[in-house]
Amino acid sequence: GQNIDQPTEMTATEGAIVQINCTYQTSGFNGLFWYQQHAGEAPTFLSYNVLDGLEEKGRFSSFLSRSKGYSYLLLKELQMKDSASYLCAATDSNYQLIWGAGTKLIIKP
Amino acid sequence: TAGITQAPTSQILAAGRSMTLRCTQDMRHNAMYWYRQDLGLGLRLIHYSNTAGTTGKGEVPDGYSVSRANTDDFPLTLASAVPSQTSVYFCASKKTGGPTDTQYFGPGTRLTVL
């Protein structure tokens, strides 16, 4: 079967660093996406990885290991506005996205 | 640029009634998608369309139908609503049906079926 696992909730302190992990099992694999979703809003794109390694984009970085079926999203210098849910999604052999349930990130002052 | 618009923003619907959720994009994207999002679950694909004139079934298509008469519009119809269809519905689009393009989401429709 196809499955995406990520923690339900995480808490971190403003200014700190947090790593949100995601493991995936899909029929075929064509890349992994991370999206951010603030409460009551639509998901917005953060990153896409298809090759192994780290992709850095400002305060956000995303890592992929295809052999381990594993990705993480790293958020640095956390700000209160980073309080949101972070969705991991893997592209399967039919080019459809399989979504995790999301990780709710709570930032405390 | 508006991107993707959805209507209505929210709706309360009596069970057994029919309803069409509207989705329009102005980005000339070929592929469009309908998802539902329920608490504690990931986004689940209902139907998709890789190009105008074609549609396909996703993970949870039962009770829903779609059409894609042109590039811009992708309406989702509930023929006879049931309470289990209470959810937030998101429409999304991307440039092509290929694996690397980013999906862009509309603001969502919050539907309650009583």
Side-chain angles (χ1 to χ4, degrees), chain B residues 51-63:
Chain B
T51 190
T54 69
T55 62
K57 293 182 179 180
E59 179 187 355
V60 290
D62 294 344

Side-chain angles (χ1 to χ4, degrees), chain A residues 4-107:
Chain A
I4 307 286
D5 282 320
Q6 51 182 131
T8 303
E9 187 175 295
M10 299 181 71
T11 302
T13 304
E14 190 176 15
I17 299 173
V18 70
Q19 178 175 311
I20 302 173
N21 296 324
C22 170
T23 58
Y24 63 88
Q25 280 183 306
T26 55
S27 58
F29 177 75
N30 285 288
L32 191 125
F33 288 84
W34 284 96
Y35 279 75
Q36 181 189 59
Q37 186 178 25
H38 285 101
E41 297 183 7
T44 55
F45 170 76
L46 287 178
S47 68
Y48 172 69
N49 295 66
V50 66
L51 300 176
D52 285 357
L54 188 67
E55 296 273 347
E56 297 187 75
K57 248 191 217 182
R59 295 189 299 113
F60 291 12
S61 303
S62 56
F63 171 84
L64 177 68
S65 169
R66 295 176 67 125
S67 62
K68 294 182 179 177
Y70 167 69
S71 174
Y72 68 72
L73 181 70
L74 191 71
L75 292 75
K76 302 176 188 174
E77 300 168 16
L78 285 170
Q79 302 175 9
M80 296 304 293
K81 68 178 182 179
D82 297 329
S83 292
S85 288
Y86 292 85
L87 314 181
C88 172
T91 309
D92 70 9
S93 56
N94 294 318
Y95 300 164
Q96 304 299 349
L97 286 179
I98 309 301
W99 295 82
T103 298
K104 182 177 181 180
L105 179 62
I106 299 167
I107 311 293

